[in-house]
């Protein structure tokens, strides 16, 4: 199990619905470590870069408009196998199919309003972190519970 960093974002619907704390709390309770966090409004160009892989999809314009419609909370989250661990906590893209117990399964109804984003691979984590954070915004620190979260 390798220590990984992943990019997580509470989308505008999550912020408006008062779900920032709920999402952060689920990540913390799992044992993940938040190593960077900020609120921002995503400029249109940055949204298009972040979602570049979907540029040709029919929902692309709606997606960019959704993600730029209000403030988001962006995070870098660290832990062993953090990319898969967070994707599992987040659940399937479409909340209709997302399992109960996952963020989307418990808190969302519509694929176009699915509360949270999380990187789906090491390559996308690296790319997405670098879009939202500079190296000096990511904090390297030890958490006191690490010996209780992980078997050494
Ligand atoms: P992910 O967020 O689970 O990684 P992706 O396939 O990368 O899912 O899609 C990015 C985002 O685009 C989704 O979270 C969702 O908000 C939106 N999206 C994906 N597919 C559709 C669709 O068919 N209709 C509307 N929005 C979609």
């Amino acid at each position: 199990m390798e220590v990984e960093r992943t990019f997580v974002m509470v989308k505008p619907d999550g912020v408006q619905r008062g779900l920032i704390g709920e999402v952060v709390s689920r990540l913390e309770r799992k044992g993940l470590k938040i190593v960077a966090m900020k609120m921002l409004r995503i400029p249109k160009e940055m949204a298009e870069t972040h979602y570049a892989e979907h540029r040709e999809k029919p929902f692309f314009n709606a997606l960019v408009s959704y993600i730029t419609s209000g403030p988001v909370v962006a995070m870098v989250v660290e832990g062993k196998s953090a990319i898969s661990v967070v994707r599992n906590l987040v659940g399937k893209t479409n909340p209709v199919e997302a399992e109960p117990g996952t963020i989307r399964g418990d808190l969302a109804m519509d694929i176009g309003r699915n509360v949270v984003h999380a990187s789906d691979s090491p390559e996308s984590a690296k790319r997405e972190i670098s879009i939202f954070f500079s190296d000096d915004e990511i904090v390297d620190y030890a958490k006191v519970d690490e010996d209780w979260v992980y078997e050494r």
Side-chain angles (χ1 to χ4, degrees), residues 11 51 54 59 63 66 87 93 104 111 114:
K11 294 179 174 183
Y51 282 127
H54 297 302
F59 58 83
L63 177 57
Y66 160 45
R87 285 292 292 192
T93 305
R104 288 166 172 169
I111 194 167
N114 58 3

Side-chain angles (χ1 to χ4, degrees), residues 11-138:
K11 294 179 174 183
D13 50 328
V15 172
Q16 293 299 326
R17 292 177 55 205
L19 296 173
I20 301 168
E22 174 76 30
V23 171
V24 170
S25 177
R26 286 176 181 229
L27 299 171
E28 287 189 315
R29 277 156 47 205
K30 176 71 174 166
L32 290 154
K33 178 159 73 175
I34 294 162
V35 294
M37 185 183 313
K38 65 182 165 192
M39 176 176 270
L40 74 155
R41 272 179 203 279
I42 305 183
K44 186 162 182 266
E45 247 183 45
M46 187 175 174
E48 288 170 352
T49 303
H50 173 72
Y51 282 127
E53 65 172 303
H54 297 302
R55 203 174 283 276
E56 306 306 324
K57 305 268 174 64
F59 58 83
F60 182 70
N61 289 341
L63 177 57
V64 169
S65 155
Y66 160 45
I67 214 70
T68 57
S69 65
V72 300
V73 172
M75 283 170 266
V76 179
V77 174
E78 188 181 282
K80 287 189 182 170
S81 304
I83 297 164
S84 308
V85 166
V86 173
R87 285 292 292 192
N88 288 337
L89 289 182
V90 163
K92 289 189 183 159
T93 305
N94 188 345
V96 174
E97 295 164 4
E99 297 284 342
T102 65
I103 293 171
R104 288 166 172 169
D106 288 349
L107 305 171
M109 293 292 285
D110 191 319
I111 194 167
R113 295 290 182 271
N114 58 3
V115 176
V116 69
H117 169 86
S119 308
D120 62 4
S121 68
E123 296 70 34
S124 57
K126 193 163 187 278
R127 193 181 77 85
E128 292 166 2
I129 289 169
S130 73
I131 293 171
F132 282 82
F133 291 95
S134 57
D135 285 348
D136 64 4
E137 288 177 307
I138 302 173

